[in-house]
Amino acid sequence: AQSVTQLGSHVSVSEGALVLLRCNYSSSVPPYLFWYVQYPNQGLQLLLKYTSAATLVKGINGFEAEFKKSETSFHLTKPSAHMSDAAEYFCAVILNSGGYQKVTFGTGTKLQVIP
Amino acid sequence: DTAVSQTPKYLVTQMGNDKSIKCEQNLGHDTMYWYKQDSKKFLKIMFSYNNKELIINETVPNRFSPKSPDKAHLNLHINSLELGDSAVYFCASGRAGSSYEQYFGPGTRLTVT
């Protein structure tokens, strides 16, 4: 069975500070990993994805994430937070097993950016 | 152009009623999904359709039924609505195969009174 754990339901950072949002997964087969962002009253928007190519993945809005198989982690980072980064962030795992997709989202982390 | 659209955006109805939410995508994707997001922002997949065939059917009540008239549409029908059905429902689409990334609609906020 697969699972996704996002540590910290709320994270606060100062504007200009490093953003680090944590995601750990468990999976019996190599997973596809994603980070999505949800702004208030909107749908989810894809930030970046890992699909077994480079372990360091760059996404939109200056975000990046590193896949670490030994730690089963896919943490999201951004060197310098901007006020517009305040949103809810979701980590997701998709497994393809026998032609079927198993989709699991984490419980989300709300990022607050303090001016 | 809107990639994934849903109608209506808001839906307020009474317990016991039957309602539908429509979803359309113009991205040419072959897979569409329905998600339920509860008040705590927890996101759970309900259904997905690939080429008009159901490939994931999570343990949702059979009062919920997806209907896909063609590859660009996946509508959600809900019978005998209950208070616990109140949530935001998201439609998404994607291309099965290499990456499984999904594109989400703006959501439909369903309130059952």
Side-chain angles (χ1 to χ4, degrees), chain B residues 89-101:
Chain B
Y89 292 84
F90 288 100
C91 175
S93 73
R95 194 185 308 277
S98 59
S99 64
Y100 299 105
E101 61 194 65

Side-chain angles (χ1 to χ4, degrees), chain A residues 53-71:
Chain A
T55 56
L56 183 62
V57 180
K58 294 187 183 299
I60 62 172
N61 302 337
F63 284 93
E64 61 182 35
E66 186 173 9
F67 172 69
K68 292 187 177 181
K69 184 178 179 180
S70 60
E71 299 178 7

Side-chain angles (χ1 to χ4, degrees), chain A residues 34 36 38 49 96 100-101, chain B residues 33 55-56 99-101:
Chain A
F34 304 82
Y36 286 87
Q38 184 179 28
K49 63 183 180 183
N96 183 23
Y100 290 88
Q101 298 173 37
Chain B
Y33 310 81
I55 58 173
I56 300 175
S99 64
Y100 299 105
E101 61 194 65

Side-chain angles (χ1 to χ4, degrees), chain A residues 57-92:
Chain A
V57 180
K58 294 187 183 299
I60 62 172
N61 302 337
F63 284 93
E64 61 182 35
E66 186 173 9
F67 172 69
K68 292 187 177 181
K69 184 178 179 180
S70 60
E71 299 178 7
T72 61
S73 68
F74 190 57
H75 301 332
L76 182 70
T77 61
K78 182 174 180 178
S80 177
H82 192 273
M83 294 299 294
S84 61
D85 295 326
E88 190 94 23
Y89 291 80
F90 293 91
C91 182

